[in-house]
Amino acid sequence: MLPTNTKDPEYYHKVVDCQYACPAHTPVPEYIRLIAAGKYTEAYIVNWESNVFPGVLGRTCDRPCEPACRRVRVEEQPVAICRLKRVAADHKGDLASYIPQGPFPPNGKKIALIGGGPASLTVARDLAPLGYEIHLFDEQPAGGGMMRTQIPSFRLPISVLEEEVGHILNMGIHTQFLTYVSSLRSVLEQDYDAVFVGTGAPRGRDLQIPGRNEAAKNVHIGIDWLQSVAFEHTKQIGKRVIVLGGGNTAMDCCRTARRLGGEEVKVLVRSPFAEMKASPWEKEDAMHEDIPILDNHVPVSFIVEDGVLKGMTFDKVHAVYDENGKRSLVSTGEPHVRVDADDVLIAIGQENSFPWIERDLGMEFDKWDMPVVDPTTYQSTIPTVFFGGDAAFGPKNIITAVAQAHQAAISIDLFCSRKELRERPHPAVNLVSQKMGIHEWSYDSYVTVDKRFVVPQADKKLTLCDRKMEVELGFDEATAWKEAERCLNCDIQTVFTEKLCIECDACVDICPTSCITFTTNGDEADLRTRLKAPATNLSQSLLVSAPLATTRVMVKDEDVCLHCGLCAERCPTAAWDMQLFSYYTAKAGA
Amino acid sequence: MSFVRPQFRHPHLPKNELGYTTREYEGSLSTLCAGCGHDSIGAAIVQACFEMNIEPHQVAKLSGIGCSSKTPAYFLGNSHGFNTVHGRMPSVATGANMANRDLIYLGVSGDGDTASIGMGQFVHAVRRNLNMTYIVMNNGCYGLTKGQDSATADMGSKSKAGSVNPFEAIDLCGLALELGASFVAQSFSGDKQQLIPLIKAAMHHHGFAFLNVISPCVTFNNNVGSTKSYDYVRQHVQATATMDFVPPATEITTSYAEGADANVTMHDGSLLHLHKLAQGWDPSDRMSAIEALQRSRMEGKVLTGLVYYDDKGKDLHDVLNTSARPLNSIPMTELCPGSAKLREINAGLQ
Ligand SMILES: Cc1cc2nc3c(=O)[nH]c(=O)nc-3n(C[C@H](O)[C@H](O)[C@H](O)COP(=O)(O)OP(=O)(O)OC[C@H]3O[C@@H](n4cnc5c(N)ncnc54)[C@H](O)[C@@H]3O)c2cc1C
Ligand SMILES: Cc1ncc(C[n+]2csc(CCOP(=O)(O)OP(=O)(O)O)c2C)c(N)n1
Ligand code: SF4
Ligand code: SF4
Ligand code: SF4
Ligand SMILES: [Mg+2]
């Protein structure tokens, strides 16, 4: 192999598994160390810079970082990255000196944001300090989008949301709530320099099966119902409730139903339990609230008697996979199953819909009737119109909406400065030695064997009676410290300088996880089989040196490196050094 | 500064026939200087014992005093150990071996521990063909006491402080050959590929197996002008042969160019599969081994690899016709039959 080009910022970035997996590339180990040091405000700000809603995300994030966490590869459970984020939010101090405070000198440019969800709010936060005049429109009475209308208060207290939405709106954003934008043409006719569409994926999918229309009074579209609950238009539900669907919306629907009078709430889902879309922890929380999940049940009809919904029938199926692994659900042939119910909540998916965008404006739509959006610049085929969040590529999650909105904000800023949109600004990276003394590092290199700590929950007896009472209590400071210590500091890189190496083998001998090998060079596939421990995880890189004095090369498999620093401690010539790699994605105006 | 090694290991570490990974053969975290050659030898011992499927509790590690003699703390943490006084490891090893022939004896010593204060003990262990492996971690100096020249420092070798050694060096391999050692080998801590099979062969050998391993002292004897530095040794090594150790009833998988191969069968059916590099050298011929050592010395080279091997000799148990059973498994009544029996024996001698 050729020597690894560690000058390419993506090489070391990839070693920081969690940060690499985070759509917004939040510097996770950096904030975890700050939490361990009790610097909650600073930890919060590191998050705020990247993901804008640390308090919200510390409770609700889909956390793609956690399955990616290195810890999973050396023991069972990842670091509780998400819940540590909440610790920073819960314990932070005054933010005033950290958050840009307006008024900002105007730059003469005006931007319209359609929709007030996390995507639009992120664009607002990124652009307002640069002097843009920002006008935000939302049909709801307040900002936050689905974070307000969909995510139930027992998962996300409204005060947490208001605080973080407030940080942004206080930057001098001109808001027009209770304003549904019914025509893009009319927006384009005004003097905006650019328009950002962050309208989400607001339509819940319906289920047209026999009995649907007759049962209409007691059949509700999940996201509409949740929104109605959030705005307190709906205050109760029948005693027996069926929730259809296997995603997170279904989990929020069933748990909300339990708090609104539902005593026998059941989730019925077509797919096998293991293949449900809902996150494992959401399923656990639902089951903990005595909600059975019946998998492999395909809805057949609504049972309506005397004009009143009585229940539903289901066909029992099992999953069959063809040679390409494609799944089909095949009926078991058993008689249909009847489940009694007073109300049914349909939570089987969400769709985009853009009835307010005139199709004669020249905006290109694809065969699924989605606007054609550039995945790098987030520009539509009308150059002044940008998209982001669920409106851009369909429903995802908050962190994805935020990450996309950062990119859209960069594009809008480049566009308004008449710069090339494809020349994306580079991340800010740095590599600094952590050596403090001969065998001393500035970070805590000790590797604890503690298993993941469980976040305590409030008593079910209380939370089920109060829709607004938060279920999770968050870590206390002492537990947070212990959990933070589980982080392996993957951003402290093992940096190798071949000209210093005397090939004494000290690093090879000491490395607890057999990462390092000195051997004759070969191509990657061959080298991977010849290392001290076979390097079978192809998603992880090999760090390869230039040829050494003996003509051999040093090969390090990044896969299970603990970043313990022992290789560097045992190296007599400091050919290994532990260096902090920081990586901050570019922001608008940077 | 780390005082403990993290407990996590590579999740796919290979297992040996006992179901152990190398972890079961590790010791505590080394306190030697970073980059000390001794640590590499320790790691090679771990690897060799792992590959040989040795039950750790079947090994007794013995050492004297010195950085090298400290190393048994850093490998085979589940084995028996005895850290003797300076230079006295051979006599403790002899006693232990006589009391229990079932254990595998692994002696670890330094050039100071062996060639200076312990010389009087070392030579007798060799000439008695005590069944043990005796490894000298040879750095040409007294590392533990801050790098004074040892008796194996080459004449003309320069110390870190700049003084030049005026005395002849003791060639421990040459001496062992002279005293009738039945297994003699030399190696370099920086060459595990050679060292591991040599350790395995030495531990399989029935009799005294001597292994002199050049092991640079990075702190006191790794300077320019020293003949025991990493650079110097790397530039001057000359191997007798490359060697694979093939356990009994295993197929030979390596093959070399025709003509230069030789197989040596050990007492237990293991094979030493040699690919000869040195001219006119025959590992079973003591004369040719002495000559190979002398020649390479005259050429200013460091000869490594197997030097001499003979498994026909009798070990000390064979010679003394001692108890086949370890003394600790013999009942007290048998071991110490009492004064009546003593009187009987004494009477028989009158
Ligand atoms: C029940 C449920 C639970 C969820 N839970 C989570 C979770 O725990 N974690 C997570 O990460 N994600 C979750 N999501 C997904 C997440 O809420 C969305 O992915 C995210 O909010 C998308 O952000 P956005 O800014 O693109 O759009 P949205 O948040 O959907 O915001 C769009 C806003 O635009 C407004 N709007 C739309 N059209 C117009 C118009 N024409 N004129 C004016 N205003 C308009 C809407 O009223 C809305 O306020 C959940 C979704 C649902 C449905
Ligand atoms: C009886 C006695 N004399 C002297 C010493 C001091 N001493 C300790 S280690 C050592 C020499 C060790 O040299 P070597 O065996 O080569 O070990 P190294 O440290 O080089 O590995 C000496 C002289 C001692 N500990 N005990
Ligand atoms: S151990 Fe820490 S730095 Fe590494 S992936 Fe997990 S959370 Fe991130
Ligand atoms: S930091 Fe060095 S010694 Fe520690 S696991 Fe990584 S490569 Fe091995
Ligand atoms: S003084 Fe020399 S022999 Fe002793 S530990 Fe240090 S490097 Fe090794
Ligand atoms: Mg010595």
Side-chain angles (χ1 to χ4, degrees):
Chain A
M1 286 175 80
L2 289 172
T4 306
N5 176 18
T6 53
K7 295 270 182 300
D8 176 356
E10 293 309 306
Y11 181 78
Y12 286 135
H13 184 202
K14 195 171 162 217
V15 174
V16 196
D17 299 280
C18 48
Q19 184 180 16
Y20 191 69
C22 172
H25 303 309
T26 304
V28 174
E30 174 87 40
Y31 82 67
I32 293 184
R33 278 192 299 273
L34 287 169
I35 290 171
K39 296 188 173 178
Y40 304 117
T41 313
E42 289 84 347
Y44 183 88
I45 289 299
V46 166
N47 272 287
W48 188 78
E49 289 287 347
S50 302
N51 56 50
V52 189
F53 303 101
V56 171
L57 289 166
R59 296 167 161 86
T60 64
C61 191
D62 261 359
R63 25 175 155 151
C65 55
E66 290 192 12
C69 174
R70 180 170 299 262
R71 197 96 191 169
V72 178
R73 303 198 293 273
V74 289
E75 52 136 318
E76 289 127 51
Q77 294 282 340
V79 174
I81 300 171
C82 183
R83 279 5 182 202
L84 285 173
K85 195 192 305 293
R86 172 179 169 172
V87 169
D90 285 354
H91 298 274
K92 67 180 182 304
D94 184 26
L95 299 175
S97 58
Y98 292 91
I99 285 184
Q101 306 287 328
F104 306 104
N107 70 356
K109 308 279 183 196
K110 243 175 104 174
I111 313 290
L113 308 177
I114 307 182
S120 290
L121 289 168
T122 299
V123 175
R125 191 207 69 172
D126 287 359
L127 294 184
L130 304 178
Y132 287 89
E133 180 182 320
I134 296 184
H135 295 262
L136 181 147
F137 303 87
D138 196 306
E139 60 173 317
Q140 302 298 342
M146 288 194 167
M147 299 188 295
R148 177 185 297 275
T149 62
Q150 297 296 319
I151 302 179
S153 299
F154 57 81
R155 283 207 291 127
L156 173 61
I158 200 76
S159 57
V160 174
L161 176 69
E162 305 251 79
E163 180 189 339
E164 293 187 334
V165 171
H167 290 319
I168 299 166
L169 297 185
N170 290 340
M171 290 178 174
I173 312 297
H174 305 270
T175 54
Q176 298 192 38
F177 290 119
L178 297 169
T179 306
Y180 178 74
V181 175
S182 57
S183 159
L184 180 59
R185 174 172 281 119
S186 67
V187 176
L188 294 179
E189 278 164 10
Q190 297 170 50
D191 59 345
Y192 295 111
D193 294 282
V195 175
F196 176 78
V197 179
T199 50
R203 186 191 285 168
R205 221 175 265 151
D206 202 348
L207 181 66
Q208 283 303 338
I209 51 172
R212 170 71 179 90
N213 297 337
E214 294 81 343
K217 195 162 81 67
N218 293 95
V219 178
H220 320 273
I221 302 291
I223 66 169
D224 297 342
W225 183 77
L226 284 172
Q227 174 170 327
S228 170
V229 172
F231 290 122
E232 309 202 318
H233 303 311
T234 297
K235 294 203 167 103
Q236 62 191 46
I237 197 162
K239 283 199 164 43
R240 297 167 305 170
V241 180
I242 290 176
V243 176
L244 300 175
N248 287 338
T249 304
M251 298 305 115
D252 281 341
C253 283
C254 65
R255 295 179 68 196
T256 302
R258 283 285 280 133
R259 288 160 171 79
L260 259 61
E263 285 167 11
E264 272 176 46
V265 180
K266 296 189 174 86
V267 173
L268 286 107
V269 51
R270 292 156 49 95
S271 65
F273 184 83
E275 289 171 35
M276 287 169 59
K277 288 221 179 73
S279 317
W281 55 91
E282 303 250 351
K283 295 198 270 190
E284 276 167 32
D285 287 344
M287 292 185 298
H288 174 69
E289 291 175 0
D290 314 312
I291 300 166
I293 296 176
L294 308 177
D295 63 348
N296 295 317
H297 280 69
V298 174
V300 174
S301 67
F302 292 92
I303 306 166
V304 183
E305 288 164 13
D306 306 322
V308 180
L309 174 76
K310 292 286 174 197
M312 289 185 73
T313 56
F314 295 87
D315 187 22
K316 279 198 75 179
V317 293
H318 60 102
V320 181
Y321 304 86
D322 69 12
E323 62 274 15
N324 302 322
K326 200 173 169 306
R327 186 188 80 187
S328 47
L329 298 175
V330 178
S331 173
T332 59
E334 290 166 62
H336 287 173
V337 179
R338 177 186 165 128
V339 180
D340 293 337
D342 305 315
D343 280 291
V344 174
L345 298 171
I346 304 179
I348 58 173
Q350 253 170 283
E351 287 165 349
N352 291 84
S353 87
F354 299 97
W356 55 280
I357 301 183
E358 295 85 349
R359 299 303 144 107
D360 60 354
L361 286 174
M363 186 181 285
E364 204 181 313
F365 279 75
D366 64 16
K367 61 178 171 186
W368 297 281
D369 205 31
M370 284 288 284
V372 174
V373 174
D374 185 302
T376 308
T377 64
Y378 293 88
Q379 193 177 33
S380 74
T381 56
I382 297 179
T384 50
V385 182
F386 297 82
F387 280 73
D390 287 358
F393 300 108
K396 303 249 160 38
N397 50 40
I398 301 166
I399 190 66
T400 305
V402 168
Q404 294 179 348
H406 282 316
Q407 292 305 315
I410 288 172
S411 295
I412 292 170
D413 186 46
L414 291 172
F415 182 77
C416 291
S417 323
R418 300 191 194 296
K419 289 191 187 143
E420 181 46 58
L421 262 55
R422 298 230 152 254
E423 277 166 24
R424 311 300 292 173
H426 295 292
V429 293
N430 205 358
L431 201 56
V432 184
S433 177
Q434 300 300 292
K435 215 181 175 94
M436 302 274 286
I438 179 158
H439 288 151
E440 247 182 297
W441 308 108
S442 69
Y443 71 108
D444 197 350
S445 60
Y446 175 75
V447 177
T448 166
V449 291
D450 279 348
K451 294 273 187 272
R452 183 181 169 115
F453 293 88
V454 178
V455 182
Q457 296 199 343
D459 187 351
K460 189 163 79 175
K461 278 206 249 11
L462 301 174
T463 59
L464 284 180
C465 304
D466 181 354
R467 176 177 73 82
K468 293 187 183 167
M469 179 169 178
E470 189 171 17
V471 172
E472 278 195 11
L473 300 173
F475 286 132
D476 58 32
E477 286 183 77
T479 316
W481 182 81
K482 283 194 265 176
E483 183 61 33
E485 285 297 293
R486 293 181 69 239
C487 174
L488 298 169
N489 301 289
C490 302
D491 59 344
I492 314 268
Q493 306 283 348
T494 54
V495 176
F496 185 69
T497 310
E498 31 285 83
K499 66 175 198 299
L500 295 176
C501 175
I502 57 168
E503 297 176 70
C504 68
D505 266 7
C507 54
V508 177
D509 297 336
I510 198 69
C511 177
T513 42
S514 313
C515 303
I516 304 170
T517 308
F518 287 84
T519 185
T520 48
N521 208 342
D523 60 33
E524 180 170 350
D526 163 49
L527 272 182
R528 280 182 177 274
T529 62
R530 288 197 281 115
L531 304 185
K532 202 173 169 204
T536 51
N537 184 351
L538 301 183
S539 69
Q540 292 286 319
S541 314
L542 300 182
L543 174 70
V544 182
S545 76
L548 301 164
T550 59
T551 75
R552 298 181 302 174
V553 288
M554 185 291 303
V555 186
K556 181 198 165 201
D557 180 8
E558 299 283 8
D559 188 19
V560 289
C561 170
L562 303 170
H563 298 262
C564 66
L566 277 175
C567 49
E569 281 186 31
R570 300 302 299 165
C571 178
T573 63
W576 285 106
D577 191 23
M578 303 309 290
Q579 301 191 1
L580 169 62
F581 173 72
S582 40
Y583 180 105
Y584 299 100
T585 39
K587 279 173 54 184
Chain B
M1 168 98 188
S2 302
F3 298 97
V4 285
R5 225 174 168 204
Q7 289 185 29
F8 296 124
R9 293 293 173 271
H10 195 288
H12 306 303
L13 273 190
K15 289 193 170 147
N16 65 12
E17 283 170 17
L18 302 172
Y20 295 154
T21 65
T22 44
R23 186 192 184 121
E24 280 71 33
Y25 298 88
E26 289 171 8
S28 52
L29 190 70
S30 171
T31 58
L32 301 185
C33 304
C36 177
H38 300 352
D39 276 332
S40 292
I41 304 172
I45 292 170
V46 165
Q47 187 65 26
C49 292
F50 161 79
E51 288 177 14
M52 287 191 292
N53 305 303
I54 288 178
E55 294 272 17
H57 71 270
Q58 293 292 0
V59 180
K61 326 168 268 188
L62 302 110
S63 63
I65 295 293
C67 298
S68 35
S69 294
K70 280 171 73 181
T71 61
Y74 317 133
F75 57 78
L76 299 180
N78 296 310
S79 300
H80 306 279
F82 202 125
N83 198 184
T84 75
V85 284
H86 203 9
R88 269 55 181 165
M89 179 265 278
S91 44
V92 176
T94 307
N97 196 322
M98 288 301 97
N100 182 353
R101 62 161 85 196
D102 285 353
L103 296 181
I104 300 168
Y105 292 91
L106 174 61
V108 172
S109 178
D111 43 325
D113 194 60
T114 292
S116 296
I117 194 168
M119 184 57 107
Q121 300 233 331
F122 170 67
V123 292
H124 295 288
V126 183
R127 64 183 271 278
R128 285 167 174 170
N129 203 23
L130 187 67
N131 186 15
M132 74 179 294
T133 297
Y134 191 112
I135 297 179
V136 171
M137 301 180 171
N138 189 342
N139 53 15
C141 69
Y142 299 167
L144 191 73
T145 52
K146 300 205 162 183
Q148 300 84 348
D149 285 340
S150 77
T152 65
D154 289 310
M155 186 185 249
S157 181
K158 205 188 246 178
S159 79
K160 193 178 179 183
S163 61
V164 173
N165 174 34
F167 303 116
E168 265 304 331
I170 293 176
D171 178 348
L172 287 171
C173 278
L175 184 67
L177 278 171
E178 195 63 44
L179 294 168
S182 49
F183 180 113
V184 178
Q186 194 145 261
S187 192
F188 170 44
S189 67
D191 183 1
K192 286 209 189 74
Q193 226 174 332
Q194 180 192 62
L195 182 55
I196 293 168
L198 283 177
I199 294 173
K200 293 204 281 193
M203 290 180 76
H204 265 264
H205 176 61
H206 182 71
F208 192 82
F210 181 66
L211 195 43
N212 182 39
V213 188
I214 315 293
S215 174
C217 168
V218 277
T219 303
F220 298 113
N221 203 8
N222 195 35
N223 48 288
V224 175
S226 158
T227 60
K228 294 278 193 287
S229 70
Y230 278 106
D231 280 350
Y232 184 92
V233 179
R234 275 221 174 86
Q235 282 158 15
H236 293 82
V237 281
Q238 185 181 53
T240 56
T242 57
M243 191 193 84
D244 288 317
F245 172 80
V246 189
T250 323
E251 224 180 306
I252 301 175
T253 48
T254 3
S255 66
Y256 297 106
E258 221 152 311
D261 278 20
N263 281 333
V264 178
T265 313
M266 300 186 81
H267 73 104
D268 62 355
S270 313
L271 280 185
L272 301 183
H273 185 207
L274 295 160
H275 175 62
K276 286 198 234 171
L277 301 170
Q279 294 284 317
W281 162 78
D282 173 356
S284 62
D285 177 352
R286 196 177 293 270
M287 280 298 286
S288 85
I290 292 173
E291 207 183 302
L293 268 180
Q294 284 295 342
R295 191 180 315 112
S296 94
R297 219 175 143 185
M298 273 153 58
E299 290 169 5
K301 299 285 188 196
V302 183
L303 190 71
T304 61
L306 182 68
V307 175
Y308 178 72
Y309 176 71
D310 161 31
D311 79 340
K312 315 235 161 26
K314 291 178 167 180
D315 90 323
L316 190 54
H317 284 287
D318 303 333
V319 174
L320 297 181
N321 195 21
T322 56
S323 162
R325 282 155 69 198
L327 301 191
N328 63 8
S329 66
I330 299 174
M332 207 51 198
T333 48
E334 216 174 300
L335 204 56
C336 187
S339 43
K341 191 74 187 171
L342 182 63
R343 269 196 299 278
E344 200 181 304
I345 292 170
N346 283 343
L349 295 172
Q350 275 162 7

